[in-house]
Amino acid sequence: MKKALITGITGQDGSYLAELLLEKGYEVHGIIRRSSTFNTDRIDHLYKDPHVNGTKLFLHYGDLADGVMLMKLLYQLQPDEIYHLGAQSHVRVSFDVPEYTGDVTGLGTLRLLEAIREVGIGGKCRFYQASSSEMFGLVQEVPQTEQTPFYPRSPYGCAKVYAYWLTVNYRESYGIHATNGILFNHESPRRGETFVTRKITRAATRIKLGLQDKLYLGNLDAKRDWGYAKEYVEAMWLMLQQDEGDDYVMATNETNSVKDFVKETFALLDLDWEKYVDYDKRYERPTEVDLLIGDPAKAKRQLDWEPKVLFKDLVKIMVDADLVLAKQELAYKQAIEA
C-alpha cells in the first residue's frame, strides 16, 4: 500500500486528490492547521462513505510555517508521495498580506523540500509542487508553455515562482523526484466562495431564488483558461508515476473572460446579467493578469492526459451544484419564517 501526504487537503484540490488516492488504495495523510473551528467540510464525506475505508485517511495538525513539525512528520510517516497543495492561494488577498503569502506559499515549499532532504527520503519519496499559471503574469507569449518566461504580477505569483525554482533546484541538486504542475485556473463546486468563478455561480443562483439582489465584481475583461479541478488532480497523480521528475502545463488551451463566465452563468438561469452585476473597484488588483491560455501538449504527449470538461460544461456543473445549495438555503429561510 502506497502512502501519500497532502498539504492543503481541506481545499478544493486536496479533497478531490484525497478521493482519487483512496480509490486507488493509498493510505492518505493530510496536514491541517489547528483552529477553534473545523474546516474539513470538503473531506468529511470520506469518513462517512461506506465504500471508503475511513481508516486509510489520517489528519495531522501542522503548518507550513513550522519546519520542525514538517520534519518530524516526514520521519514518522516516510511517505512515498507528497502532494504540496497548501498555500495562501488567493491572488487578490496576497496584495493585502504579502509577507504571509511569501512565508507560507514560498518558504513553506522550501521547508518541505528541506525536510525531505534532511530526513533522507529523497531517494524514495516523490514530490509534487502545485505551481500556478499566475507565474506567467504579464504573458511573454501566447499560449503559455513550459518554456514561457515568468513575469508574475502579484505577491502570490512571485511566491509561486520562488517555489517553482526551488523544486527544480532540489531535483537537480539532490536527485529528488520533484515535479512542478503548472496548473491553469481550475474550478468546481468545491471552489472557495471568495474566488471569482464560485462567487459568480453562488450569487447568480441566490439571485434567481430571491435571496440576493446584486453581484459586485472587479475587472470583467480578464481572460482565463478554466478547467475542471477533479480532472486536474488526476494529472497530478500521473506526474508522480513518471520515471523522472519534470514540469508540466495543465490547461484546456481555451480562454474566456470573466464577463463570459458571468454571461454563461446567468444565461443558464434565464437571467439578464446586466440587471444584476455592478462594478466595484475594491475587487480590482493593483496589477492585473490580462490573459492566460495554456498549451497542455506536453502533458498529452507524456502523460496521455487532456481535459474533457471544457468551459460551458464546467459552468453548468457549478451552477447546478450551487442551485441545489440556494434551494436548501431558501427552504431553511422559509422554515424559520413560518
Side-chain angles (χ1 to χ4, degrees):
M1 182 187 297
K2 282 188 176 181
K3 188 183 297 183
L5 173 65
I6 303 173
T7 70
I9 194 171
T10 58
Q12 169 190 251
D13 292 6
S15 65
Y16 281 123
L17 180 60
E19 282 180 350
L20 177 70
L21 296 179
L22 287 169
E23 288 170 3
K24 291 183 177 296
Y26 279 65
E27 179 179 301
V28 177
H29 296 258
I31 298 175
I32 60 172
R33 283 174 294 174
R34 177 68 180 92
S35 172
S36 59
T37 58
F38 287 108
N39 183 33
T40 57
D41 293 352
R42 293 184 181 96
I43 57 173
D44 283 346
H45 66 286
L46 296 178
Y47 291 104
K48 300 170 185 175
D49 189 339
H51 301 294
V52 175
N53 181 357
T55 60
K56 291 183 181 178
L57 177 62
F58 303 89
L59 300 180
H60 308 266
Y61 286 121
D63 198 297
L64 291 169
D66 186 349
V68 173
M69 178 283 305
L70 293 173
M71 203 169 297
K72 287 181 177 178
L73 189 59
L74 295 193
Y75 269 122
Q76 173 191 341
L77 297 181
Q78 300 283 311
D80 300 291
E81 297 173 2
I82 296 175
Y83 296 88
H84 180 35
L85 314 181
Q88 190 303 98
S89 61
H90 198 289
V91 178
R92 177 62 189 85
V93 171
S94 76
F95 287 99
D96 300 323
V97 288
E99 182 179 348
Y100 175 77
T101 300
D103 186 27
V104 174
T105 306
L107 286 173
T109 305
L110 172 63
R111 295 182 186 107
L112 195 48
L113 284 165
E114 186 63 9
I116 292 172
R117 186 187 70 82
E118 185 65 27
V119 172
I121 59 174
K124 60 158 276 190
C125 180
R126 300 183 172 192
F127 176 81
Y128 171 83
Q129 163 62 17
S131 290
S132 168
S133 59
E134 286 287 330
M135 300 188 303
F136 295 120
L138 186 62
V139 298
Q140 303 299 292
E141 64 179 5
V142 177
Q144 295 85 56
T145 72
E146 292 82 4
Q147 304 305 316
T148 302
F150 299 137
Y151 196 137
R153 300 271 279 172
S154 66
Y156 170 78
C158 293
K160 282 293 187 180
V161 170
Y162 177 64
Y164 171 93
W165 284 116
L166 279 171
T167 302
V168 173
N169 183 256
Y170 272 69
R171 180 170 72 214
E172 296 178 351
S173 299
Y174 305 112
I176 295 173
H177 189 299
T179 290
N180 281 294
I182 308 173
L183 272 60
F184 281 63
N185 294 63
H186 46 289
E187 318 296 319
S188 76
R190 298 183 191 177
R191 187 60 140 152
E193 293 183 21
T194 60
F195 290 84
V196 68
T197 52
R198 185 76 194 292
K199 181 179 178 180
I200 292 167
T201 59
R202 190 80 174 96
T205 51
R206 296 185 81 248
I207 289 170
K208 178 68 175 179
L209 298 185
L211 294 166
Q212 185 171 329
D213 298 321
K214 288 284 186 179
L215 167 61
Y216 295 94
L217 296 170
N219 180 14
L220 293 180
D221 296 322
K223 294 182 177 179
R224 295 292 184 268
D225 183 323
W226 278 301
Y228 185 30
K230 190 171 184 179
E231 292 183 339
Y232 282 46
V233 301
E234 294 174 8
M236 297 176 189
W237 177 78
L238 286 169
M239 290 181 217
L240 293 200
Q241 310 317 304
Q242 305 307 301
D243 292 335
E244 296 181 353
D246 204 341
D247 309 312
Y248 300 91
V249 161
M250 295 293 153
T252 68
N253 199 223
E254 293 184 358
T255 188
N256 290 276
S257 68
V258 175
K259 184 182 290 186
D260 292 333
F261 201 103
V262 170
K263 287 180 177 179
E264 184 67 22
T265 297
F266 279 79
L268 286 170
L269 297 165
D270 296 317
L271 295 172
D272 180 356
W273 72 273
E274 292 183 290
K275 291 182 179 179
Y276 304 102
V277 178
D278 284 341
Y279 171 77
D280 190 329
K281 67 178 182 180
R282 291 178 299 174
Y283 297 116
E284 291 272 10
R285 302 177 186 177
T287 47
E288 183 57 83
V289 174
D290 297 316
L291 168 66
L292 292 175
I293 177 170
D295 181 358
K298 180 179 177 180
K300 182 177 180 179
R301 184 174 64 252
Q302 294 186 203
L303 306 178
D304 194 26
W305 179 93
E306 59 183 328
K308 299 179 181 63
V309 176
L310 300 180
F311 180 72
K312 287 182 178 293
D313 290 334
L314 172 64
V315 177
K316 188 176 189 309
I317 288 170
M318 295 179 68
V319 168
D320 288 348
D322 276 333
L323 190 56
V324 171
L325 290 182
K327 288 178 178 177
Q328 291 173 349
E329 183 182 354
L330 179 60
Y332 178 76
K333 180 182 178 183
Q334 292 172 338
I336 293 295
E337 293 173 350

